[in-house]
């Protein structure tokens, strides 16, 4: 009988449990045994044995709709840079040989590793040390993994951010305020772009398009002076001013791959108030975007990827990432997905869509937001409809 292991590494994302469920059922239905490793690779280093969980039908029953991961996760679990306590202090140590030895002692033939770019690069380094085989499953709310069109967790995060924008819309309008909302995404602007369009943002700032304050001020003035005296500004946490730098909340830790971004929304809000005199407020959606139940799309995607992971283990002898490419799963070599970030192309159709909706990115030429509306011709009779959110639209009824 074949025995395999599953782990989840890096930040959590809605859908992890769906992958665990589908991969486990795919394995169990082939007559294999499955071991869940707790908290990345940490479970393999726990001498008590508590770090390992047998995964069977019962263990994965009814979990696909639940957020988080039943295995736990960590973004401080790099076995090549592992926090080990020495003389009362945590110091980084290479424990990769121990991890590989324990994995092989368990008699596991392969690992299904759910994670982002960091987890995929760890998997390949561990294979070089003797881990037999790894199938990666792309996870991150940031949607920034190379080699795959989409990662599970993204759609749910966008839904959460969009809900927040819908709620902020009414309070922004009531108080005539500029609400500046910071969303996650690390060095990619996918969440900001999708949620900004879906939630009716007036300005979207993303890392891929460095912004200047002037076009944003012009956009806000154009709204305030034309009867829309409030605005929603959606800022990706990695957004950067032209010639400036990303804003971080703290120093990079010795055990973490990335320093934590944060604080850009507050900075932008203050600058906008100073430049316009309009009252503004900022808020950071933060980990709300990683929590909660996966949306329908992510539940399906997660279980699709989990099933495919078991299938590729069965039908091929390869290692690689189970990617979604053009609507189908594909096993992509790790070399193709590592060492980069899938960022928003400033020429992407979604960016063009936003621009055509009048959304500002902060890189526009002066005068870009001057009103160019042509008055409705006198031969056209019109009727106005005001939606519950207060946004007006004019519908021609006859010529
Ligand atoms: O990669 C997922 C993510 O949520 C990013 O969007 C964010 O920058 C980061 O993780 C936050 O990490 P942490 O959970 O360590 O604060």
């Amino acid at each position: 009988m074949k025995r395999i292991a599953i782990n989840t590494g890096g930040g959590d994302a809605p859908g992890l449990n769906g992958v665990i469920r589908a991969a486990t059922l795919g394995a169990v239905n082939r007559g294999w045994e499955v071991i869940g490793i707790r908290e990345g690779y940490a479970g393999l280093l726990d001498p008590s044995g508590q770090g390992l969980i047998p995964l069977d039908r019962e263990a994965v029953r009814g979990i696909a709709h639940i957020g988080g991961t039943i295995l736990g996760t960590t973004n401080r679990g790099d076995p090549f840079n592992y926090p080990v306590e020495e003389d009362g202090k945590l110091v980084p140590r290479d424990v990769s040989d121990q991890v590989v030895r324990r994995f092989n002692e368990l008699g596991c033939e392969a690992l299904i590793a759910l994670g982002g770019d960091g987890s995929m690069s760890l998997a390949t380094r561990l294979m070089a040390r003797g881990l037999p085989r790894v199938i990666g499953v792309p996870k991150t709310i940031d949607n920034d993994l190379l080699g795959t069109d989409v990662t599970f967790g993204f759609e749910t995060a966008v839904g959460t951010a969009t809900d927040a924008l819908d709620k902020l819309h009414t309070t922004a309008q009531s108080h005539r305020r500029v609400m500046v909302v910071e969303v996650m995404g690390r060095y990619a602007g996918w969440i900001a772009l999708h949620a900004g369009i879906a939630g009716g943002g007036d300005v979207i700032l993303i890392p891929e398009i460095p912004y200047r304050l002037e076009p944003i001020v012009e956009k806000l003035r154009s709204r305030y002076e034309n009867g829309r005296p409030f605005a929603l500004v959606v800022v990706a946490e990695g957004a950067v001013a032209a010639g400036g730098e990303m804003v971080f909340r703290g120093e990079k830790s010795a055990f973490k791959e990335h320093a934590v971004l944060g604080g850009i929304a507050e900075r932008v809000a203050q600058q906008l108030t100073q430049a316009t005199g309009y009252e503004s407020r900022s808020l950071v959606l933060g980990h709300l975007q990683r929590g909660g139940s996966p949306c329908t799309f992510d539940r399906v995607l997660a279980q699709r990827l989990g099933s495919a992971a078991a299938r590729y283990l069965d039908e091929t002898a390869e290692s690689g990432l189970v990617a979604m490419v053009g609507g189908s799963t594909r096993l992509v070599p790790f070399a193709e997905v590592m060492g980069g970030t899938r960022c928003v192309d400033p020429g992407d159709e979604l960016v063009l869509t936003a621009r055509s909706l009048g959304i500002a990115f902060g890189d526009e030429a002066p005068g870009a937001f001057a009103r160019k509306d042509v008055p409705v011709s006198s031969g056209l009779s019109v009727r106005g409809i005001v939606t519950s959110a207060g946004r007006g639209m004019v519908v021609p009824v006859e010529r």
Side-chain angles (χ1 to χ4, degrees):
M1 181 200 285
K2 206 181 180 97
R3 180 178 293 164
I4 65 162
I6 302 182
N7 74 350
T8 53
D12 67 339
L16 282 165
N17 285 326
V19 181
I20 296 170
R21 174 174 188 267
T24 300
L25 292 179
V28 167
N29 288 334
R30 288 174 166 85
W32 305 344
E33 258 179 20
V34 187
I35 295 175
I37 305 170
R38 285 190 201 270
E39 298 189 12
Y41 296 94
L44 288 170
L45 299 168
D46 181 347
S48 72
Q50 300 291 308
L52 304 172
I53 319 175
L55 293 178
D56 55 14
R57 269 181 225 290
E58 196 49 45
V60 299
R61 198 180 295 288
I63 61 168
H65 65 291
I66 300 171
T69 158
I70 60 165
L71 296 176
T73 188
T74 175
N75 42 25
R76 292 161 178 262
D78 174 354
F80 296 90
N81 201 26
Y82 200 77
V84 172
E85 197 174 325
E86 284 176 15
D87 300 329
K89 271 191 4 201
L90 288 178
V91 287
R93 292 282 177 254
D94 181 350
V95 297
S96 56
D97 284 339
Q98 259 171 275
V99 164
V100 172
R101 196 178 326 119
R102 183 79 182 111
F103 189 89
N104 289 330
E105 278 168 8
L106 289 169
C108 290
E109 290 175 36
L111 172 69
I112 297 182
L114 283 53
D117 50 352
S119 305
M120 298 310 134
S121 113
L122 284 183
T124 53
R125 291 174 72 196
L126 287 171
M127 279 194 288
R129 290 284 167 102
L131 204 74
R133 192 178 166 197
V134 180
I135 299 283
V137 181
K139 163 244 62 166
T140 166
I141 63 162
D142 305 337
N143 203 31
D144 62 350
L145 259 190
L146 290 175
T148 185
D149 296 346
V150 65
T151 56
F152 67 84
F154 169 67
E155 204 62 37
T156 306
V158 169
T160 300
T162 304
D163 280 353
L165 291 174
D166 287 348
K167 291 187 171 139
L168 291 168
H169 199 117
T170 51
T171 174
Q173 185 168 16
S174 304
H175 285 270
R176 299 175 166 242
R177 279 177 177 157
V178 179
M179 298 299 297
V180 186
V181 187
E182 183 171 311
V183 299
M184 280 186 166
R186 198 163 271 153
Y187 312 131
W190 294 110
I191 297 178
L193 184 58
H194 281 249
I197 291 175
D202 304 296
V203 178
I204 299 176
L205 305 182
I206 59 176
E208 296 87 345
I209 305 179
Y211 66 86
R212 287 173 292 108
L213 217 52
E214 296 76 17
I216 309 172
V217 168
E218 193 189 300
K219 169 72 189 177
L220 298 189
R221 287 230 161 91
S222 155
R223 281 182 64 78
Y224 275 65
E225 287 164 12
N226 285 285
R228 313 296 291 156
F230 66 96
L232 289 182
V233 178
V234 184
V235 188
E237 60 182 359
V240 63
E245 286 179 358
M246 287 186 186
V247 182
F248 289 90
R249 257 197 290 136
E251 295 289 301
K252 189 180 163 337
S253 129
F255 310 108
K256 247 183 122 196
E257 199 191 355
H258 300 275
V260 180
L261 286 157
I264 182 73
E266 179 53 23
R267 183 177 292 187
V268 169
Q270 281 177 10
Q271 290 171 332
L272 289 178
T273 301
Q274 221 164 41
T276 61
Y278 304 148
E279 192 181 19
S280 70
R281 292 286 187 274
S282 72
L283 81 158
V284 179
L285 293 187
H287 293 83
L288 267 182
Q289 295 157 97
R290 295 224 306 248
S293 267
C295 65
T296 311
F297 179 87
D298 279 333
R299 291 183 203 190
V300 174
L301 177 62
Q303 295 186 83
R304 216 171 150 184
L305 294 171
S307 308
R311 198 168 61 243
Y312 286 122
L313 272 183
D314 195 18
E315 295 174 1
T316 75
E318 311 297 315
S319 289
L321 181 84
V322 183
M324 285 300 295
V325 183
S328 311
T329 63
R330 194 178 288 175
L331 193 62
V332 175
F334 282 125
E336 285 180 25
V337 305
M338 283 170 356
T341 301
R342 195 177 70 88
C343 287
V344 175
D345 174 352
D348 192 289
E349 197 188 301
L350 219 49
V351 175
L352 303 185
T353 303
R355 289 197 194 277
S356 134
L357 291 169
I359 295 172
F361 285 90
D363 65 339
E364 293 80 4
F369 299 107
R371 293 273 166 138
K372 301 181 192 92
D373 305 3
V374 177
V376 179
S377 113
S378 55
L380 196 65
S381 149
V382 296
R383 156 165 68 95
I385 294 177
V386 178
T387 64
S388 56
R391 299 172 213 201
M393 71 185 176
V394 176
V395 181
V397 288
E398 60 190 36
R399 282 190 184 276

